[in-house]
Amino acid sequence: EEEGGYVPKALPSTGEPYHGNTEYSLQSTNYAFADINGDGVQDLLEATFLYHDQLVEGYPLPQRIHFMNENAEITESLVAMEDKQAGRSVTTGQLYSDSRLPDVVFASARGEVDVFANLGVNDETGLFLGLEKRRTLSIGNEGCQIRDVLVVPMDEASCWMGIVCAVACEQPRGEKEPELLGKNHIFYLEGGGKECNANVGDTREWNGALASGTEHWR
């Protein structure tokens, strides 16, 4: 902030050409803020997207974390994963009991959710240890995009954590009414520092319209 107002800053990826076809530029479709590396400053997570027919094989899309300093300057950017399906959304939360810093979730335009555990910092050196990909979850339909994703406690004890997905599906060409309206989806993951009377890392799953109460567990 400067005297008289705020000064906007652009991310390095804004308008960045897509390496697979420089006629296209990467689209930033979702952001989240969290202190990922434990330095006390909020970092910026970015999901990048292109439409499926714009993607070129061998040129995945970078899903990134931009580490920032107290002056809101990007000091380093980490490619958490390279998504072959196009990223759509990103969020953070306390998913794993062995994580002391926020875990990271990226969701794709092809119905998949990738879950990363935050390995924290080295107690002796203070260096950030990075992220570890632990799960890829699927809603089971590649024609559906996960437009938004959120991590929330699903019980009073914060034992089962929910990865809540807002889902939108493609309308088949020529159809007046879409066949695939999409069902919002919740993945249940044991975590939050609690044991849920189940194996560590066990999952349960709920699939349906949010008001329907229809449940499918696994």
Side-chain angles (χ1 to χ4, degrees), residues 11-14 16 28 31-34 36-37 41-48 62-69 73-79:
L11 284 174
S13 58
T14 301
E16 174 187 338
S28 300
Y31 297 104
F33 282 99
I36 299 298
N37 60 356
V41 177
Q42 296 286 293
D43 303 306
L44 180 63
L45 297 89
E46 175 195 18
T48 62
Q63 310 304 307
R64 290 183 277 218
I65 300 173
H66 303 284
F67 297 105
M68 306 181 77
N69 62 21
E73 298 168 335
I74 295 174
T75 60
E76 182 183 1
S77 292
L78 168 69
V79 177

Side-chain angles (χ1 to χ4, degrees), residues 12-215:
S13 58
T14 301
E16 174 187 338
Y18 172 47
H19 294 303
N21 184 343
T22 55
E23 293 184 2
Y24 299 123
S25 297
L26 296 182
Q27 299 181 36
S28 300
T29 53
N30 201 234
Y31 297 104
F33 282 99
D35 180 11
I36 299 298
N37 60 356
D39 64 355
V41 177
Q42 296 286 293
D43 303 306
L44 180 63
L45 297 89
E46 175 195 18
T48 62
F49 169 82
L50 283 176
Y51 289 100
H52 186 65
D53 58 2
Q54 297 173 330
L55 297 175
V56 177
E57 187 175 355
Y59 294 90
L61 300 178
Q63 310 304 307
R64 290 183 277 218
I65 300 173
H66 303 284
F67 297 105
M68 306 181 77
N69 62 21
E70 61 275 7
N71 296 317
E73 298 168 335
I74 295 174
T75 60
E76 182 183 1
S77 292
L78 168 69
V79 177
M81 63 177 294
E82 292 186 320
D83 198 330
K84 298 178 182 179
Q85 304 182 356
R88 256 306 185 183
S89 50
V90 60
T91 193
T92 66
Q94 182 70 36
L95 282 166
Y96 292 104
S97 59
D98 59 343
S99 297
R100 291 181 290 175
L101 293 169
D103 301 311
V104 175
V105 177
F106 282 100
S108 82
R110 308 297 286 179
E112 288 190 351
V113 175
D114 290 287
V115 184
F116 294 82
N118 192 325
L119 301 181
V121 297
N122 185 293
D123 291 333
E124 295 182 359
T125 65
L127 295 176
F128 178 54
L129 298 176
L131 304 175
E132 178 183 75
K133 184 176 176 180
R134 291 194 177 172
R135 284 188 177 274
T136 297
L137 307 169
S138 174
I139 64 174
N141 191 331
E142 290 190 355
C144 295
Q145 300 186 17
I146 301 175
R147 291 298 187 96
D148 204 0
V149 65
L150 188 66
V151 173
V152 294
M154 300 306 294
D155 57 19
E156 293 182 359
S158 297
C159 174
W160 287 104
M161 303 299 292
I163 301 176
V164 182
C165 304
V167 178
C169 299
E170 298 175 359
Q171 178 173 337
R173 293 183 179 179
E175 295 288 339
K176 294 183 179 179
E177 298 293 335
E179 285 183 7
L180 303 174
L181 290 173
K183 293 183 177 181
N184 294 317
H185 213 89
I186 302 175
F187 295 100
Y188 287 76
L189 185 68
E190 184 185 21
K194 305 285 185 178
E195 291 187 2
C196 306
N197 297 320
N199 294 326
V200 173
D202 190 17
T203 60
R204 297 189 290 178
E205 185 176 352
W206 178 88
N207 178 354
L210 286 178
S212 72
T214 302
E215 298 179 347

